[in-house]
Amino acid sequence: MVSERHLSQADSTQFVLFGAMGDLTWRLVGPALFNLHLDGQLPDDFRLVGVDREISTEVLSERLRDGIKRFSRNGAPDEKTWNAFAARLDSYAIDLSNAQSYQQLKQHLESIQKNTTARVFYLAIPPFLFGPVADGLAASDLHLDRDGVRIVVEKPLGDSLATFKAIDRTLSVHFEEKQIYRIDHFLGKETVQNILALRFANPIFEPVWNRRYIDHITITVAERIGVGHRAGYYEHAGALRDMVQNHLFQIMCLVAMEAPVAYDADDIRNKKLDVLRACRPIPTDNITAFAVRGQYNTGWIEGKHVSAYRQEPDIDPESNIETYAAVKLLVDNWRWQDVPFYLRTGKRMTENVSEISIRFRDVPHNAFPATTGLNTQPVRLVIQIQPREGMILKFMAKEPGSPLRLQPVDMRFCYADAFGKASPDAYETLIRDLILGDATLFMRSDQVEAAWQLLTPVLDAWAANPAPDFPNYTAGSWGPEAAERLIARDGRAWLTPSHF
Ligand code: BG6
């Protein structure tokens, strides 16, 4: 998060990128590093060392440039800027499972930069390689500088509580918790970070941010895209593991947490953990009242006919994997007792939209005649994470003229309009914090563990009972009917996402 230190003054840094020729580097990490370079945000003494099985600095340079051209928010780099960035590149070819090669890697790293004070090992590689890499780095003592060395991993961090713990053990056996940075890229998004600013930098929201004034909260992360070419991963993950366990839970924690004492990584993460710890366990004998799954059928999106999930490339034609998940959670504490949090996410939905909707209670006494329309539209605060970043407060106002009639109106704040500049991509924010050693926006082990624990009853029930009705929602819709029932049972409804 925002740090007082400026990156160009940061210590001399070596960014060692395992999986430098892979997809994650190509699409996200490479463009983010380049944009930080463009903005003058990298330390003056900075080297990016790409590590992969087959790699050379020239090949790495071409690959990064191609990814930047396609995916960077700043478009293709010009020759001069590119050459300046390329001068910071280096590479090392290594068989990651060969323990001997790490000694040579160490020598190489020491030969290109003397007295590096910060070294980031970024593992953009599949989790089964985390162990061999962590062992190899430790065997060469590359982990020992506890303040300067960081190791970075990214989901999937297991597919259950047990597998998460196993992955985590492979790292924690050599690295201290303060050295391990677990990425959830949603935490790098501006609007997600803004939740804390909204709540704790203003005196007006916090007094009503509780069960007395809030009826319920919904968090929606809807995507139009389907599974694409990620069958290999998605067929083992599904929406609950892919999105709810991490992104949606992180958002919920920021919405529901208590005020931090200090803007400090541990304090904030403690408060977030408290939310997960306060969540009422989902009862194993009543899963359907708390969790719903869906899988998309064929349908139409933006005028194009799209396939059903089971017809997508490399997907099992009888797949039981969910592409939609909705969960209802109750947070058992003073602030939130009996205020449900409804979380939903899905692929092939009507719109690309991620938003948090805080639905306030109806007025306690209706002094206006029924014909005026009071309470026809609930008062709510909508925090939109994407596509537009901003907030809308929806409330009632008197329509001009007579007879007396009340109408819902919107008050808007839009990031782009207010600040007039583009927000950095989530990865830029996170990589910047990584280099500075600020762990606030990264997930701590106990938090990931609590998240897995909370979802275990649902994962187990779904694995044991294949869905009889898949596919159960049309591509281009808002998800399965069962999700409407989940919330309707409480006398509520998913409110349509807002448009800026
Ligand atoms: C990833 C999921 O973590 O987040 C994807 O694996 C999903 O399935 C993506 O599409 C959404 O992220 P963003 O930043 O594009 O909203």
Side-chain angles (χ1 to χ4, degrees):
M1 230 172 233
V2 193
S3 171
E4 283 167 24
R5 284 173 67 205
H6 199 268
L7 260 185
S8 61
Q9 294 143 17
D11 303 327
S12 94
T13 302
Q14 213 163 56
F15 197 94
V16 187
L17 182 52
F18 289 85
M21 298 299 289
D23 188 63
L24 180 63
T25 300
W26 183 57
R27 283 186 304 112
L28 295 162
V29 182
L33 282 164
F34 179 70
N35 286 334
L36 288 170
H37 165 84
L38 266 188
D39 291 347
Q41 293 267 358
L42 290 180
D44 294 337
D45 184 13
F46 176 88
R47 295 301 288 266
L48 165 58
V49 187
V51 176
D52 218 313
R53 181 180 281 274
E54 284 176 20
I55 194 169
S56 68
T57 309
E58 292 68 40
V59 172
L60 170 68
S61 171
E62 276 316 302
R63 172 86 173 155
L64 289 178
R65 192 170 185 176
D66 181 58
I68 290 160
K69 197 168 81 195
R70 289 170 198 246
F71 304 112
S72 164
R73 66 187 167 90
N74 290 312
D78 64 50
E79 211 54 31
K80 188 163 162 244
T81 333
W82 178 254
N83 289 341
F85 181 67
R88 304 179 120 179
L89 301 180
D90 199 281
S91 63
Y92 195 74
I94 187 175
D95 171 3
L96 295 180
S97 50
N98 177 359
Q100 268 78 56
S101 21
Y102 290 84
Q103 198 55 43
Q104 289 136 29
L105 171 67
K106 181 184 185 186
Q107 285 161 10
H108 183 75
L109 295 178
E110 286 171 352
S111 73
I112 50 177
Q113 238 172 332
K114 299 275 170 252
N115 308 321
T116 310
T117 36
R119 194 175 266 150
V120 176
F121 294 111
Y122 195 113
L123 310 195
I125 49 178
F128 74 89
L129 288 169
F130 292 174
V133 172
D135 292 346
L137 295 175
S140 317
D141 291 342
L142 277 163
H143 63 314
L144 283 181
D145 175 3
R146 302 297 182 190
D147 292 321
V149 169
R150 282 139 226 163
I151 188 158
V152 189
V153 290
E154 206 159 326
K155 77 182 230 292
L157 296 177
D159 56 10
S160 65
L161 182 58
T163 51
F164 165 70
K165 282 185 172 174
I167 288 180
D168 221 41
R169 260 196 307 273
T170 62
L171 301 173
S172 59
V173 70
H174 304 300
F175 292 86
E176 291 180 2
E177 176 61 29
K178 69 173 183 188
Q179 295 181 279
I180 306 174
Y181 285 64
R182 298 173 195 81
I183 289 193
D184 181 321
H185 79 279
F186 263 55
L187 291 177
K189 292 180 190 263
E190 285 291 324
T191 334
V192 174
Q193 295 174 65
N194 191 45
I195 297 170
L196 291 189
L198 167 79
R199 292 189 54 199
F200 303 125
N202 298 292
I204 56 170
F205 296 108
E206 221 27 43
V208 294
W209 210 262
N210 56 51
R211 63 191 303 275
R212 187 147 179 227
Y213 296 96
I214 293 177
D215 180 78
H216 71 276
I217 293 176
T218 58
I219 300 174
T220 299
V221 178
E223 298 180 288
R224 277 192 182 133
I225 53 164
V227 66
H229 296 285
R230 298 167 76 214
Y233 157 71
Y234 205 83
E235 275 283 270
H236 296 285
L240 202 63
R241 292 185 178 91
D242 185 45
M243 300 292 287
V244 179
Q245 191 272 346
N246 35 71
H247 306 326
L248 277 88
F249 275 6
Q250 290 293 332
I251 296 173
M252 176 179 161
C253 287
L254 291 168
V255 171
M257 68 183 255
E258 296 301 317
V261 175
Y263 200 84
D264 144 303
D266 264 328
D267 195 22
I268 289 181
R269 296 191 299 176
N270 287 342
K271 296 289 189 309
K272 284 166 65 181
L273 175 63
D274 282 347
V275 175
L276 294 177
R277 286 180 42 230
C279 282
R280 191 177 302 171
I282 296 176
T284 45
D285 57 354
N286 197 13
I287 298 286
T288 46
F290 290 85
V292 160
R293 57 186 153 167
Q295 189 190 72
Y296 62 81
N297 206 340
T298 52
W300 293 85
I301 292 189
E302 292 185 294
K304 283 203 194 104
H305 188 253
V306 296
S307 309
Y309 178 71
R310 289 177 176 181
Q311 297 158 355
E312 301 269 25
D314 302 320
I315 298 292
D316 175 357
E318 289 177 17
S319 174
N320 185 48
I321 282 296
E322 80 284 355
T323 58
Y324 176 101
V327 178
K328 167 182 160 182
L329 291 170
L330 291 159
V331 182
D332 285 334
N333 63 17
W334 274 61
R335 186 190 284 266
W336 296 118
Q337 194 61 227
D338 299 329
V339 177
F341 285 73
Y342 301 98
L343 279 45
R344 63 173 171 170
T345 182
K347 300 233 182 267
R348 289 287 188 229
M349 307 272 282
T350 321
E351 285 182 41
N352 271 327
V353 63
S354 300
E355 69 173 39
I356 304 155
S357 174
I358 320 273
R359 204 286 204 187
F360 291 94
R361 289 189 185 283
D362 290 339
V363 295
H365 167 64
N366 191 351
F368 297 95
T371 49
T372 56
L374 183 65
N375 288 338
T376 46
Q377 169 123 357
V379 172
R380 59 178 174 136
L381 177 71
V382 176
I383 303 172
Q384 192 158 106
I385 297 165
Q386 48 202 31
R388 296 294 300 264
E389 300 176 308
M391 272 167 33
I392 306 179
L393 181 64
K394 292 176 169 290
F395 60 100
M396 301 303 285
K398 183 191 168 299
E399 205 181 290
S402 56
L404 175 66
R405 220 186 296 278
L406 300 166
Q407 277 289 336
V409 289
D410 291 354
M411 208 158 86
R412 286 150 196 273
F413 154 72
C414 171
Y415 254 86
D417 298 344
F419 293 104
K421 60 178 184 187
S423 300
D425 284 342
Y427 274 82
E428 292 168 39
T429 305
L430 295 175
I431 291 175
R432 181 181 178 280
D433 285 2
L434 266 178
I435 294 172
L436 286 172
D438 181 345
T440 314
L441 297 180
F442 296 83
M443 299 184 294
R444 214 170 52 189
S445 171
D446 46 9
Q447 204 194 1
V448 184
E449 200 175 313
W452 278 122
Q453 200 147 19
L454 198 53
L455 287 182
T456 299
V458 185
L459 290 167
D460 289 350
W462 287 0
N465 306 292
D469 59 344
F470 276 3
N472 60 355
Y473 71 97
T474 310
S477 72
W478 279 113
E481 237 184 81
E484 306 300 328
R485 284 198 296 275
L486 174 88
I487 191 165
R489 222 174 274 135
D490 297 340
R492 302 184 172 102
W494 298 104
L495 296 167
T496 322
S498 325
H499 291 109
F500 268 79

